[in-house]
Amino acid sequence: MLRRAVGEVAQVATVDQLGDVSGFALVAVDYDALTNEEQADMVANFALRSHRPTLLLLSERNVQEDLALLFGSRILTNMLVVDASGPDASDLLVTVQKIRHGEIFGLEKYFVWGVEPRTLAITSSNEKGQTIDMISEYVRKIGVTSRLRALIRTVADEFLSNALYNAPVGTDGVPLYTNTPRTEPVSLASHEHIVVRFCCDGRRFGLSTTDPFGSLSPSILQDYLARAFRAGDDQVSETPGGAGLGFFQILGSLSHFVVNIDPGRRTEMIGLVDVSGSFRTFASGGKSFNIFVTEQTR
Amino acid sequence: MSMRWAVESQSSGHVVRISGSITEEADLHALVALGDGGTLRLDLAGVDEINSCGVREWIRFVRRVSETARGLELVRCSPAIVRQLNMVSNFRGAGQVTSVMLPYYCASCGTEQEQLLEVPEGGSPPQIPTSITCRHCGGAAEFDDLPDSYMGFVGLMHAEGPP
């Protein structure tokens, strides 16, 4: 499948044989095929490299147990869930193409041609509630169950809070509203509007928010997720502003979480939820995750 | 839907029925005093959503109640609450979860319904019925989650024991 996507593929059987992979754009690892020791070796191997290729972990479920370690080591930027027949071919193709060609933005990439997302723009936290209600009503009308609707509402809420409070920075790059209580309204200038898009193809629902700041860094995202998955006493932040659980709640509520960053220019968050069946179908499906940064893919 | 609550006084303390969404807007401070010296029972069957800031408000609330109440009981926990019990380490504070609502889904007619499950003190998590009769079409409504994951918090709660 990978060969069909990229052409040139080298295959090794063990982590020891990885050797010098600096000439490769992407290293895909069948995580479930590794022993615990090999998994630890692989993490150490990648964490120590100053110039490392993009790592893509393929896993049915095993990787879920190691997310604190993997996010904490900051090596985890891409994981795709696999089933008995392997990874979803279109998700693998999209991931590889984005890494190779740098065209990382767009909700449409995750849907077949012809699915037209609805688009709206918001500039104020006062618009958050009605935007969430609009998205919720859209998924209710297409027959999504109440529990999946609640997850989608959660994702919309966290995406919008992040775009309105965490993303905005001044011209000096200093965050404007990160420490503002989420009960306090904030407004953005019209040219700083947040673009919200959503669509469904009957199999999965997709939602994206795009801010014009590009202030999120992969390491911040990874650190938040690592702290949340460690589930220690510091899992919930007591500092002013957000609770530090937003990304964790988002990942837990999605089948596939994608973050696209063009540093200093824009950040797009994409959430995909399997709505083809019941909540159980969604819950048994595992999680996929990607961070793409334009500078890394150019 | 924003959070709502209703209080019922009993001889041993108060029962508070909470419903709607728990978010940064949720004002739980008024409920803290209800726990003073007695047992506070929180009926959570109507909670359908909690966001990340709502989780923090909730944790602050159960922490404060745990300091003043003789006992804190979480009853009829909705699937949204159970999700947080499994995801967030100190979500129940010193409270004991004594019952949860089990979600069921009927694939034949699309009906969603819930059934109460008591959580006995100590021991293994109780068995979850894999299916029940759909109240709408009479067909089989299947348990709509992963049984082991859903009751995952019980093992940890019993291991930690009563406060």
Side-chain angles (χ1 to χ4, degrees):
Chain A
M1 199 181 283
L2 204 54
R3 222 166 241 121
R4 279 209 305 272
V6 294
E8 285 177 53
V9 175
Q11 190 168 352
V12 297
T14 67
V15 174
D16 292 340
Q17 293 170 357
L18 271 176
D20 181 13
V21 289
S22 54
F24 289 86
L26 172 72
V27 173
V29 175
D30 179 356
Y31 196 74
D32 297 350
L34 303 180
T35 63
N36 290 348
E37 199 175 80
E38 288 171 327
Q39 288 168 352
D41 283 351
M42 188 270 299
V43 172
N45 185 314
F46 268 82
L48 287 173
R49 291 169 191 265
S50 53
H51 298 288
R52 51 181 180 249
T54 302
L55 178 66
L56 169 62
L57 299 184
L58 304 170
S59 173
E60 189 172 355
R61 287 204 73 84
N62 292 357
V63 73
Q64 309 291 334
E65 297 160 14
D66 299 334
L67 289 178
L69 172 72
L70 290 165
F71 283 121
S73 68
R74 294 182 175 175
I75 66 164
L76 181 53
T77 51
N78 295 279
M79 66 174 180
L80 289 181
V81 68
V82 299
D83 59 20
S85 57
D88 181 284
S90 62
D91 283 351
L92 180 64
L93 188 63
V94 169
T95 297
V96 171
Q97 296 292 352
K98 285 171 80 160
I99 290 167
R100 289 191 83 198
H101 302 301
E103 295 290 330
I104 63 174
F105 290 91
L107 177 62
E108 296 90 336
K109 289 186 168 63
Y110 295 91
F111 290 87
V112 293
W113 185 86
V115 175
E116 189 66 36
R118 294 189 186 189
T119 302
L120 51 138
I122 68 166
T123 54
S124 164
S125 57
N126 291 330
E127 298 170 90
K128 195 175 91 168
Q130 70 188 55
T131 305
I132 295 170
D133 287 345
M134 190 185 297
I135 294 165
S136 186
E137 182 59 12
Y138 172 86
V139 289
R140 189 192 65 77
K141 280 184 175 166
I142 57 176
V144 174
T145 65
S146 67
R147 291 190 69 204
L148 290 173
R149 282 204 306 274
L151 292 189
I152 289 167
R153 287 181 64 91
T154 298
V155 172
D157 187 336
E158 303 293 351
F159 273 16
L160 290 169
S161 287
N162 187 74
L164 288 160
Y165 287 90
N166 293 327
V169 289
T171 49
D172 52 2
V174 175
L176 297 175
Y177 309 121
T178 301
N179 295 327
T180 302
R182 295 330 187 219
T183 47
E184 210 169 283
V186 294
S187 293
L188 305 172
S190 58
H191 69 277
E192 296 172 331
H193 65 265
I194 309 299
V195 178
V196 182
R197 310 185 80 206
F198 52 96
C199 59
C200 184
D201 61 6
R203 186 173 73 97
R204 60 183 175 184
F205 167 79
L207 168 70
S208 72
T209 54
T210 307
D211 71 65
F213 302 100
S215 58
L216 180 66
S217 78
S219 59
I220 288 176
L221 174 55
Q222 289 162 328
D223 290 351
Y224 272 119
L225 286 168
R227 192 176 65 179
F229 278 105
R230 275 197 301 272
D233 290 339
D234 63 347
Q235 190 181 26
V236 179
S237 169
E238 286 295 339
T239 55
L245 278 177
F247 294 130
F248 182 54
Q249 297 285 343
I250 289 167
L251 189 56
S253 304
L254 291 173
S255 308
H256 194 161
F257 180 26
V258 181
V259 181
N260 299 317
I261 306 168
D262 188 358
R265 293 189 185 89
R266 68 177 152 155
T267 299
E268 178 183 49
M269 294 200 181
I270 296 175
L272 304 165
V273 183
D274 179 355
V275 294
S276 63
S278 64
F279 187 94
R280 187 183 180 131
T281 307
F282 158 80
S284 59
K287 307 280 180 200
S288 294
F289 172 79
N290 300 99
I291 309 175
F292 300 103
V293 182
T294 52
E295 286 176 349
Q296 287 179 355
T297 54
R298 273 174 189 150
Chain B
M1 193 190 304
S2 56
M3 191 193 82
R4 297 176 311 283
W5 45 268
V7 182
E8 183 187 320
S9 296
Q10 297 180 339
S11 56
S12 59
H14 295 93
V15 178
V16 182
R17 292 192 175 80
I18 300 176
S19 57
S21 304
I22 301 176
T23 67
E24 57 275 21
E25 306 285 349
D27 184 8
L28 293 156
H29 300 296
L31 300 178
V32 174
L34 294 171
D36 280 354
T39 297
L40 186 60
R41 189 168 289 129
L42 302 173
D43 182 332
L44 304 171
V47 177
D48 49 24
E49 215 178 306
I50 312 170
N51 72 4
S52 58
C53 289
V55 168
R56 181 170 60 186
E57 294 305 313
W58 178 263
I59 287 172
R60 287 172 176 166
F61 164 63
V62 292
R63 192 187 297 145
R64 287 183 63 193
V65 169
S66 301
E67 288 166 3
T68 57
R70 208 167 49 224
L72 175 62
E73 213 178 300
L74 278 54
V75 304
R76 303 189 343 121
C77 296
S78 69
I81 291 286
V82 171
R83 221 169 108 71
Q84 299 302 330
L85 285 165
N86 284 311
M87 286 175 74
V88 180
S89 60
N90 48 358
F91 189 77
R92 67 184 173 85
Q96 290 296 299
V97 177
T98 58
S99 60
V100 298
M101 303 306 292
L102 302 176
Y104 287 87
Y105 178 72
C106 176
S108 302
C109 69
T111 297
E112 297 174 74
Q113 63 191 86
E114 292 180 356
Q115 177 166 292
L116 184 70
L117 180 71
E118 302 288 344
V119 179
E121 207 174 307
S124 306
Q127 284 293 310
I128 293 176
T130 52
S131 66
I132 60 173
T133 303
C134 173
R135 67 169 179 234
H136 183 70
C137 72
E142 303 288 328
F143 179 64
D144 195 19
D145 211 313
L146 307 176
D148 292 344
S149 309
Y150 197 78
M151 299 306 283
F153 73 92
V154 176
L156 189 61
M157 181 173 75
H158 289 164
E160 289 171 353

